[in-house]
Amino acid sequence: MAKEDILTIEDVLNKARRYLAEDDVKFLQRAYNYAAKAHENQFRKSGEPYIIHPVQVAGILLDLEMDPETVAGGFLHDVVEDTDVTTEDLEGYFNHEVAMLVDGVTKLGKIKYKSKEAIQAENHRKMFVAMAKDIRVILIKLADRLHNMRTLKHLPPQKQRRISNETLEIFAPLAHRLGISTIKWELEDTALRYLNPQQYYRIVQLMRQKREQRESYIDEVMTEVGRQLKDVKIEADISGRPKHLYSIYRKMAKQNKQFNEIYDLLAVRIIVNNIKDCYAVLGIIHTCWKPMPGRFKDYIAMPKPNLYQSLHTTVIGPKGDPLEVQIRTKEMHEIAEYGIAAHWAYKEGSRVSKDKKSFEEKLTWFREILEWQSETHDAEEFMETLKVDLFSDMVYVFTPKGDVIELPSGSVPIDFAYRIHTEVGNQTIGAKVNGKMEPLDYQLHNGDIIDVMTSKHSYGPSQDWLKITQTSQAKSKIKQFFKKQRRDENIGKGKEAVDKEIRALGVEPKEVLTQENLNRVYERFNFVNEDDMYAAVGYQGITAALIATRLTDKLRRTKQKEQNLEETLEEVKSETTFKRKQKRDSGVRVAGVDNMLVRLSKCCNPVPGDKIVGYITKGRGVSVHRSDCPNIQSEEAQQRFLHVEWENNQIEKKQYHVDLEISGYDRRGLLNEVLQAVNETKTNITHVNGKSDRNKMATIHITILIHNTSHLRRIVDRIKQIKDVYTVTRTIQ
C-alpha cells in the first residue's frame, strides 16, 4: 500500500478476497459495520471520520495475510477504548478470540497513576502480557502504530516528537525482534523525519543527487549476474535493494561518517528456488568479483533469532566500489519481510507453519514475559527490565554441543545457565569459556563456547547474582528461588526493614499499618496479603523504602498540610494596611479572610473569567494562579491551596497582562496586520517580539492589557481572521 493512499472498505474487502473464503469476507464486513456504527460521530485530528483509521489498520493486516479474527481485531481495535462498547459486547457479537485480541491492544482506563510515564508503562505492560498469550496482539498494535505514524503530520510538534521517540524505543525494535522488516523500516524512517527533520531531508536530498548513477550501476551488475546464472541454468529473481534512511542515519551517527563514506548504499538481492541454489549463486558471485574479507555472513546455517535467513556477502564490484549481495529463497524472503506474521499467513482456511515446533521455540521468549511480569511489582521497572532483553544489542554464544544461544550484550555465564534451564542456573558453581575457567561475572562475547559447571550440592544462587545478571529471565528465576526457599526468613527480614523505614520517616508503624493503607499497597504492587508484601521486600523484589513511603504518604501529607497552613496563615494575617491595598488592587478576594496580601501570578497571568486558585506563599501572602497552571499541579503545591474569587466590582475597572503566541506563515506585512488587528479592538500592547525559522514559520509574542476573558476572546478571534495565521495561544511562563 502506498503511504499516501487511503483505502476504502471496498479496497480492503478486495484485499481479503485474494486469500480468504467468502464467509470470512462477510465476517470482516460485519466487523467493519460494527466499528463504523461505534465510531459514527468521532473524527481524527485531521478532521476525517475516525473509521478511516481502523480501515487502514485492517488493510495493513491484510497485506500481512493475517487470519480473519486478527483483521476483525484491526477494525475493532479502538471501540472498547474510545466508545461505550465493552469486551463482553464483542465476545457476544463476534467470539472470544476477537474480544481477547481487542482487549490486548486496549489501553488501561479509569485507573489513577502518579504520572504519564506510569500510565504509559502500565499500558505497555498490559500489551506485552497480552502479546505473550497471543502474538497477534502485537501485530494489530504494530499496524495501528504504522498508520498513526503515516498521519502524524496532523498532530502538534511536541506530540509528534513524543510518539516518534516511543516508536523508536518500543515499536520499531519490537518489529525487528519479530522479523517484520517491512514495518520496522517504515516506522524508523518516519520517526526520524519528525525527530531530526534536518538530517532526514538532507539524506533524502543526497540520495536523490546520485540516484541515476547508482541505478545505472545496479542495472549493470544485475545484467551480469543474470547472464552468469542463465549459463548454469539457475532461475532467480534479481533486484536492487534500497538502503533505508534510518539505517544510513544511524551508521553516520554511530561511526561518525559522512554520507559519501557509506559504501553499502549499493545492494543487490537475489531470490532463488532452493537452498542448494543459494550456495551455487554465492560461488558465482565470488568468482565474478573479489569478496571483501570479514564481510560474509551465513544466516541460513545460523538463522537469526527473529527467524531471518539469508546469505550476505560484500564484494568489490565492477567499478571498484563495495557492493553488498543478499541471496535467499522465496520462503526466506517472505519471512524476512513479514517475520513471525509469515507463520500466521492464512491460506484456504488454515494457518500455514512449515515447522510448527521451530516456530513455537522462537516464541519462547514471549511466553517468559508472563513469568517476568508476575515477579515485578512496578510497571516502570518491568518496562526497563524488558528493554534490556528486547532492545539491547545481542551476543551469540554456543553450547558445548554447538547450539546457538542469543543473549543481551553484557550478559554473563549465569544468564547463559538460566537460559539453558532453571535448575542449571540454580546449581551453577562455575563456568568454562572456550575451555578456560572464568569468573561468573565474565562478560560474554560473540562466538564464545560456554560450559557451565553445576553441583547437586550447591546452596543455590547468591543475592549478588541479581547485580551482575543482565537478562530478565535470570533475574526472575533468582528472585523466584529466594521467594520459595526462604519465605519465612524473607517475611521476617522484610517486616523488620519496612518498620525501620517507617520510623525513619518520623512515623510509628502501628499508625500506618491499617487495613486501608495495606489494601492500597496490595493493589498498587499486586500483593495478595501482608506476608506476600514482606516476603517481596525480603527477597529484594521491591524496596522497603518504597513500601514505607506508600504506607505513610497519606498521613505525612495530612500532617504537613496542617503544619504549613498554621505557619503560613499566621504570617499572612500579620500583614497590615499595605495588604488591604494590594487586595483591592488585585481584584481578587480570599474567601473568609480579610487583611491579606493578594497578588496575581506572573507565570500564568490570570484574568477575570479564568478559573483561579490561591496558593499560600511564606512572607508574600497569597499568589493567585489559573487552576490549569502547570506550576501548581504537584501534590505538594495542592496542599497549600486556598479558595479565592474575583471581585465583581473590579472586573471592568482593572486591566490585566496577558501573553499571546501567534504562529503563521512568514510573509511581508504579517506583523503589521497582527498589531493593527489588536489596535482595532482598542487594546493596549505593552510588549512585542517576533522571529522566523528556516521553514518560513513566523512566531510572534505579544503582551496586551485586557479586562476579562470575553475581552481576550474578541482579540483572539480578530487575530485568527488574518490570512496565514495558523494558531493563537495564550502562553504560560
Side-chain angles (χ1 to χ4, degrees), residues 81-250:
E81 185 178 330
D82 294 338
T83 74
D84 294 332
V85 174
T86 66
T87 308
E88 290 73 22
D89 294 337
L90 293 180
E91 186 163 353
Y93 192 79
F94 295 98
N95 55 47
H96 174 73
E97 210 170 343
V98 170
M100 180 270 297
L101 292 173
V102 172
D103 182 60
V105 293
T106 300
K107 292 177 186 172
L108 298 169
K110 300 176 184 176
I111 300 177
K112 292 185 179 179
Y113 295 99
K114 291 178 75 173
S115 64
K116 287 184 179 178
E117 291 76 15
I119 295 171
Q120 197 72 328
E122 285 287 1
N123 285 328
H124 286 147
R125 176 177 19 213
K126 180 176 185 285
M127 178 186 72
F128 275 101
V129 173
M131 177 187 76
K133 294 176 183 174
D134 194 320
I135 201 70
R136 293 174 294 172
V137 167
I138 201 60
L139 297 175
I140 297 173
K141 191 63 186 177
L142 286 172
D144 171 48
R145 178 53 60 109
L146 180 58
H147 183 248
N148 281 335
M149 291 300 292
R150 289 175 178 174
T151 57
L152 207 56
K153 63 183 178 182
H154 301 293
L155 296 182
Q158 188 177 355
K159 273 195 174 182
Q160 290 174 348
R161 288 190 292 272
R162 179 180 61 78
I163 292 171
S164 296
N165 198 52
E166 182 187 55
T167 298
L168 279 185
E169 277 194 356
I170 304 285
F171 294 99
L174 189 52
H176 173 69
R177 182 82 188 211
L178 297 173
I180 313 174
S181 61
T182 185
I183 288 180
K184 177 209 171 193
W185 290 120
E186 189 177 340
L187 288 177
E188 289 181 336
D189 286 357
T190 313
L192 177 63
R193 176 182 169 190
Y194 293 101
L195 288 174
N196 196 336
Q198 186 176 355
Q199 280 288 64
Y200 175 87
Y201 288 111
R202 177 172 170 262
I203 293 170
V204 169
Q205 189 60 32
L206 289 168
M207 290 186 75
R208 280 178 183 162
Q209 287 173 3
K210 295 187 177 180
R211 177 178 290 174
E212 288 185 13
Q213 180 184 338
R214 284 200 310 272
E215 288 177 351
S216 171
Y217 180 72
I218 290 291
D219 287 343
E220 181 184 338
V221 172
M222 287 165 54
T223 302
E224 176 61 20
V225 171
R227 189 179 64 77
Q228 294 281 349
L229 296 186
K230 189 175 181 181
D231 288 345
V232 294
K233 296 181 171 55
I234 292 178
E235 294 182 9
D237 180 11
I238 307 168
S239 61
R241 182 185 68 85
K243 188 76 173 175
H244 295 277
L245 300 176
Y246 184 73
S247 64
I248 296 173
Y249 167 77
R250 272 196 69 186

Side-chain angles (χ1 to χ4, degrees), residues 347-405:
K347 309 279 187 183
E348 298 178 3
S350 64
R351 293 186 183 90
V352 173
S353 183
K354 300 282 190 300
D355 186 349
K356 193 173 191 302
K357 184 180 177 184
S358 170
F359 173 56
E360 288 300 321
E361 286 175 358
K362 300 299 183 185
L363 294 183
T364 301
W365 180 85
F366 296 101
R367 307 287 184 249
E368 289 167 353
I369 291 174
L370 288 172
E371 286 187 44
W372 304 342
Q373 73 92 25
S374 67
E375 293 299 318
T376 306
H377 301 286
D378 185 271
E380 291 173 83
E381 180 191 345
F382 169 76
M383 282 307 300
E384 288 305 313
T385 308
L386 186 66
K387 284 180 184 180
V388 173
D389 272 15
L390 183 58
F391 312 127
S392 63
D393 292 332
M394 312 305 286
V395 293
Y396 301 92
V397 296
F398 294 91
T399 68
K401 292 182 178 180
D403 295 327
V404 180
I405 302 293

